[in-house]
């Protein structure tokens, strides 16, 4: 099956620093790449997504970049704050007769005050 | 609030038993997805329904089954439960059946099998 690889699995940064999480996918036909944030004990929430017709999208302190040639996309969080601490999941469509989103394994981000 | 409602929030049951988890999608969403999240694990896709029909199947055990009713709510049935089935089960909904629409997750049902 198609995989979505996510790195790193854990990431600790100092408050105010930037954090970058990277995902790679294998299906070249993939065209939609969302990122979800899951706080402890809560549901995953969509924080940003990007479609394959653009290379970058920003929303305040969060940005996502997409490199279709290399088949990877990244989440960038600037000026990190303690409330950014959570598990972040990327996702990409898988191939097959019935396409559906496959999630990466998640990145535990800890922002140290 | 995502608009996706899952009940119950918590479920504690014994091995060998059968349980039913319920999900009501956001108003207007036709697709319902079920995911399993074990402790410190990622989101494992189980099954998707669109407008009452099964659309995609993931790593769903034969002991598990699901359906989507005419009013679009969905139920996930888990039978012959084992300790390893203890997990957080999420339902998500989206407007379409494709993979280009955001998924909106419910708050999950935490299942504990003792």
């Amino acid at each position: 099956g198609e995989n979505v690889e996510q790195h790193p699995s854990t990431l600790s940064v100092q408050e105010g620093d930037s954090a970058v999480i990277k995902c790679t996918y294998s299906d070249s036909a993939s065209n939609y790449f969302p990122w979800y944030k899951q706080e402890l004990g809560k549901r995953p929430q969509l924080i940003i997504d990007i479609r394959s017709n653009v290379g970058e999208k920003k929303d305040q302190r969060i940005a996502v970049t997409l490199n279709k040639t290399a088949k990877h996309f990244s989440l960038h969080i600037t000026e990190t704050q303690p409330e950014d601490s959570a598990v972040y999941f990327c996702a990409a469509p898988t191939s097959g007769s019935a396409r559906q989103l496959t999630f990466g394994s998640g990145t535990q981000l800890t922002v140290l005050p | 609030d995502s608009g996706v409602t899952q009940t119950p929030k918590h479920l504690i049951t014994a091995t060998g038993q059968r349980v039913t988890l319920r999900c009501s999608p956001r108003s207007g969403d036709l697709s319902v997805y079920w995911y399993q999240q074990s402790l410190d694990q990622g989101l494992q896709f189980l099954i998707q329904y669109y407008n009452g029909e099964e659309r995609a199947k993931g790593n769903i055990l034969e002991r598990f089954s699901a359906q989507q009713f005419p009013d679009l709510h969905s139920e996930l049935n888990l039978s012959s439960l084992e300790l390893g089935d203890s997990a957080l089960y999420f339902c998500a909904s989206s407007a379409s059946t494709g993979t280009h629409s955001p998924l909106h997750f419910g708050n999950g049902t935490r299942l504990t099998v003792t």
Side-chain angles (χ1 to χ4, degrees):
Chain A
E2 302 293 340
N3 286 328
V4 178
E5 302 288 334
Q6 182 172 347
H7 300 281
S9 57
T10 60
L11 179 60
S12 291
V13 299
Q14 289 295 135
E15 183 176 357
D17 287 350
S18 295
V20 180
I21 303 170
K22 183 175 175 178
C23 284
T24 59
Y25 60 97
S26 52
D27 183 4
S28 56
S30 295
N31 57 4
Y32 175 67
F33 307 91
W35 285 90
Y36 288 81
K37 175 184 180 182
Q38 186 178 25
E39 297 177 5
L40 189 62
K42 298 192 175 181
R43 62 184 171 88
Q45 295 191 63
L46 179 72
I47 55 171
I48 195 167
D49 56 13
I50 191 169
R51 300 183 192 277
S52 58
N53 57 342
V54 296
E56 184 177 9
K57 182 177 178 181
K58 286 184 180 179
D59 182 2
Q60 299 182 19
R61 297 185 297 107
I62 293 173
V64 56
T65 58
L66 172 64
N67 184 327
K68 286 214 74 180
T69 301
K71 288 193 263 186
H72 67 71
F73 57 110
S74 299
L75 177 70
H76 304 253
I77 306 174
T78 59
E79 301 172 25
T80 53
Q81 302 167 4
E83 51 265 38
D84 294 329
S85 296
V87 178
Y88 291 82
F89 292 98
C90 64
T94 57
S95 63
S97 59
R99 292 170 63 80
Q100 38 92 11
L101 283 175
T102 294
F103 285 81
S105 55
T107 297
Q108 173 68 64
L109 173 65
T110 302
V111 180
L112 305 169
Chain B
D1 185 9
S2 67
V4 179
T5 303
Q6 286 189 250
T7 57
K9 289 184 179 179
H10 302 277
L11 203 48
I12 302 175
T13 189
T15 55
Q17 296 298 305
R18 180 181 188 274
V19 296
T20 298
L21 282 54
R22 182 188 169 103
C23 169
S24 293
R26 289 192 325 161
S27 177
D29 283 357
L30 299 179
S31 274
V32 170
Y33 307 74
W34 287 98
Y35 286 85
Q36 179 192 57
Q37 187 175 44
S38 302
L39 191 63
D40 294 332
Q41 296 293 312
L43 293 157
Q44 300 298 316
F45 170 70
L46 296 178
I47 198 164
Q48 177 203 356
Y49 280 83
Y50 176 78
N51 203 20
E53 299 290 327
E54 181 184 305
R55 285 287 297 177
K57 228 172 188 178
N59 299 319
I60 187 167
L61 300 172
E62 286 191 9
R63 300 184 286 109
F64 295 0
S65 64
Q67 55 184 327
Q68 186 179 28
F69 295 87
D71 66 354
L72 301 178
H73 91 271
S74 177
E75 292 181 356
L76 178 67
N77 301 297
L78 315 177
S79 62
S80 302
L81 285 168
E82 302 175 358
L83 295 177
D85 297 328
S86 295
L88 196 51
Y89 291 84
F90 285 106
C91 167
S93 73
S94 71
S96 74
T97 183
T99 53
H100 53 275
S101 297
L103 298 183
H104 302 274
F105 285 83
N107 289 327
T109 292
R110 182 170 296 283
L111 172 66
T112 303
V113 182
T114 62

